[in-house]
Amino acid sequence: MRKRISLFLLVVLVFACKTEIKKEVNDEVKKEVEKEATYPKALEDVLQKHGGLDAWRKAKSLTYKVKGQEHMTDLQTRKAVIHGENFSLGYDGKEVWLSQKDSTAFKGNPEFYYNLYFYFYAMPFVLADDGIVYSEMDPITFEGITYPGIKISYKANVGVSPDDNYFIFYHPETKQMAWLGYTVTYYSKKPSKKFNIIRYNDWENVNGFILPKSIIWYKKNEQGVPTEPAGEPTVFSSAIISQTSLSDNFFSKPAE
């Protein structure tokens, strides 16, 4: 009799465990479906055009050069390190650090700068980060082409500048990203209606992802429509996306 009771309890326990595991798996699948459903269809099309969000999320590290500096970012943790002439700076996952040979080697704010070009370069994939709110944006017209837009804003307490807004504009037929509008609130800590705009029309294939070879800031009229280049292009080179993670020590501040 005791053996029958023990066997019965064992069967009940195994069934309960399987049910709980199945529930957890189903909950995780449900969360993933809900997460994917939060992205506008238009943005999904743009991301797919540039290599696909699923593939991007599997990539481990990104390296490129800009303005004579080498930038490296861990795509899973967003740890970063920049090596420039006579200075290095980075983010180790907890704090931003700066190492320089003298006080004039780096001019700027390390906290603001360490991922500045990463955001410009990793477009449009960074526009699918967590904590983002999407809404419709009026299109812009340039040289006879009308580019639909998507507004990207952030939930409260997301990042160091949650009041920042981005505006992505894409080609109506190819779905390729064409323009990026953005506000800067890091210093003021207040929402702003003043925005800058960058043209993305020079692309290259980097390990299966379509990323910018160069970008150029544009002047705009009172209606926010781009008119003419505001300066020379910012050029990116030596780009590599790797499936291998960089070690944590790679992002640590070097010994003085």
Side-chain angles (χ1 to χ4, degrees), residues 196 225 243:
N196 304 292
V225 177
Q243 299 300 322

Side-chain angles (χ1 to χ4, degrees), residues 47-239:
L47 293 169
Q48 192 60 38
K49 176 68 178 182
H50 285 265
L53 184 57
D54 289 341
W56 177 261
R57 285 177 169 168
K58 292 176 183 177
K60 298 298 191 296
S61 62
L62 168 65
T63 303
Y64 58 91
K65 292 182 179 179
V66 60
K67 294 185 177 294
Q69 304 162 2
E70 185 176 33
H71 294 235
M72 287 152 282
T73 302
D74 185 302
L75 296 176
Q76 302 297 318
T77 64
R78 296 293 171 84
K79 294 178 182 179
V81 64
I82 300 172
H83 296 302
E85 186 176 0
N86 297 324
F87 80 89
S88 294
L89 66 84
Y91 172 63
D92 61 10
K94 295 181 179 180
E95 61 182 5
V96 178
W97 54 264
L98 171 65
S99 176
Q100 52 186 344
K101 290 187 176 181
D102 59 70
S103 60
T104 63
F106 175 78
K107 297 179 181 179
N109 185 313
E111 188 177 57
F112 179 75
Y113 189 77
Y114 86 91
N115 65 355
L116 176 66
Y117 281 102
F118 169 76
Y119 263 80
F120 291 144
Y121 185 66
M123 290 288 169
F125 296 104
V126 290
L127 300 182
D129 285 351
D130 293 335
I132 288 179
V133 178
Y134 302 95
S135 57
E136 292 185 4
M137 181 69 185
D138 292 336
I140 60 172
T141 300
F142 183 80
E143 295 182 345
I145 300 176
T146 298
Y147 299 90
I150 304 170
K151 180 181 178 180
I152 292 91
S153 54
Y154 294 85
K155 296 178 181 178
N157 301 318
V158 174
V160 296
S161 302
D163 290 321
D164 279 353
N165 288 314
Y166 291 92
F167 315 96
I168 181 177
F169 301 93
Y170 57 93
H171 194 282
E173 296 178 0
T174 67
K175 308 303 180 183
Q176 188 160 291
M177 180 180 173
W179 299 88
L180 175 72
Y182 68 97
T183 62
V184 178
T185 64
Y186 176 83
Y187 294 102
S188 67
K189 304 301 181 184
K190 297 179 181 179
S192 174
K193 292 184 178 180
K194 181 180 179 181
F195 69 93
N196 304 292
I197 194 163
I198 305 173
R199 188 177 188 185
Y200 284 71
N201 69 328
D202 185 16
W203 301 93
E204 65 177 341
N205 189 313
V206 180
N207 304 111
F209 299 97
I210 307 303
L211 297 177
K213 190 174 182 179
S214 70
I215 58 177
I216 184 167
W217 274 256
Y218 260 65
K219 297 178 182 178
K220 59 186 187 305
N221 59 25
E222 294 180 356
Q223 289 73 41
V225 177
T227 55
E228 61 182 356
E232 295 298 316
T234 296
V235 178
F236 300 93
S237 64
S238 304

Side-chain angles (χ1 to χ4, degrees), residues 31-40 44 53-54 57:
K31 288 179 181 178
E32 284 299 316
V33 171
E34 289 177 348
K35 185 176 181 180
E36 291 300 326
T38 61
Y39 304 121
E44 289 182 4
L53 184 57
D54 289 341
R57 285 177 169 168

